[in-house]
Amino acid sequence: MTGRLRALRDHGLSLVFAGLLLVALVGQAVAGLAELNGESRDQGFPTIGMAEYLASSTFAVDLAENWQSEYLQFLLFIVLTVWFVQRGSPESKELDKVGRESDEEQRVGRFALPGSPRWAVVDGWRRRLYSHSLGLTMGLIFLGSWSAQLVAGRAAFNADQIRDLKAPLGFGDYLAAPDFWSRTFQNWQSEFLAVGSMVVLAIYLRERGSPESKPVGAPHGSTGVEG
């Protein structure tokens, strides 16, 4: 196997999802522009081009509201699975491993392996930071995209307000407005449903060869076992 083919194999999952993301973004942009221009024509307003639409608050808020809910989903799943378990689910830790676990189990400090990350070996703030780096990063991306939703959502909402000859809202007023929370909760509920369904359905159902599933022949009560 050549180096290029090996690299494609080694990074195939991330590359496939990057490609799917690109396709979905293009589809969202095309469909969103068509919908917006259709509404504009119906109301007698001028239409816009793709470049103008991609730079608009309408496109930005639709993007940000989906991103914030996805990263919130992963943040909560990462943090909650430290302390909560689900008997029979491969998405759960083993039932007797609730909590942060020992240094030996986490392979840090003097228990580190030869190839362990350097910050897992050293003591002090660097190890503490690295020990929570995944959750912190997910949390920062969530807060950033949720803030972007607030800014872009207010801009899009006020554009409609001005078009209808109504007064625009300030950030405080928009933060308390139904439009902001409707956009937020409609995404949150779908993410929580998806994760909860995955946790429970994976107890009883299988997908052969997937690390998100238990081995096909594993008992339903097997917990924290991946295929």
Side-chain angles (χ1 to χ4, degrees), residues 97-145:
K97 290 189 176 182
V98 173
R100 295 294 184 188
E101 302 178 4
S102 66
D103 286 353
E104 183 176 6
E105 290 173 313
Q106 287 292 306
R107 299 172 184 172
V108 298
R110 63 189 180 91
F111 300 105
L113 302 176
S116 295
R118 188 176 65 176
W119 280 29
V121 180
V122 298
D123 293 323
W125 67 269
R126 287 178 294 177
R127 187 200 299 175
R128 290 195 297 273
L129 178 62
Y130 190 69
S131 295
H132 303 284
S133 56
L134 181 59
L136 288 171
T137 300
M138 290 292 183
L140 288 173
I141 297 175
F142 160 66
L143 291 175
S145 54

Side-chain angles (χ1 to χ4, degrees), residues 29-214:
V30 172
L33 177 62
E35 181 183 16
L36 181 64
N37 281 339
E39 292 176 354
S40 296
R41 282 190 292 268
D42 292 341
Q43 298 172 6
F45 293 105
T47 59
I48 62 173
M50 179 59 75
E52 188 176 355
Y53 176 68
L54 292 178
S56 71
S57 57
T58 301
F59 178 73
V61 68
D62 289 343
L63 206 62
E65 71 179 61
N66 283 284
W67 287 13
Q68 60 88 2
S69 63
E70 295 293 343
Y71 282 101
L72 175 64
Q73 170 195 173
F74 283 115
L75 170 63
L76 291 178
F77 194 68
I78 290 166
V79 174
L80 291 177
T81 51
V82 174
W83 303 104
F84 296 93
V85 294
Q86 176 62 54
R87 182 179 179 85
S89 178
E91 301 298 322
S92 167
K93 294 198 296 185
E94 296 176 19
L95 300 178
D96 60 350
K97 290 189 176 182
V98 173
R100 295 294 184 188
E101 302 178 4
S102 66
D103 286 353
E104 183 176 6
E105 290 173 313
Q106 287 292 306
R107 299 172 184 172
V108 298
R110 63 189 180 91
F111 300 105
L113 302 176
S116 295
R118 188 176 65 176
W119 280 29
V121 180
V122 298
D123 293 323
W125 67 269
R126 287 178 294 177
R127 187 200 299 175
R128 290 195 297 273
L129 178 62
Y130 190 69
S131 295
H132 303 284
S133 56
L134 181 59
L136 288 171
T137 300
M138 290 292 183
L140 288 173
I141 297 175
F142 160 66
L143 291 175
S145 54
W146 200 21
S147 298
Q149 178 192 329
L150 172 63
V151 173
R154 173 180 172 266
F157 181 83
N158 282 341
D160 291 338
Q161 289 286 96
I162 294 171
R163 178 179 291 185
D164 296 336
L165 303 179
K166 297 179 181 178
L169 298 181
F171 279 109
D173 292 330
Y174 182 70
L175 186 60
D179 183 76
F180 175 74
W181 289 105
S182 175
R183 287 179 176 275
T184 296
F185 284 128
Q186 73 175 349
N187 283 278
W188 287 6
Q189 56 86 14
S190 63
E191 303 303 338
F192 299 153
L193 174 63
V195 174
S197 299
M198 179 65 181
V199 169
V200 175
L201 292 176
I203 298 173
Y204 305 103
L205 306 179
R206 309 286 190 269
E207 184 59 47
R208 184 168 183 155
S210 174
E212 301 303 317
S213 166
K214 293 185 290 190

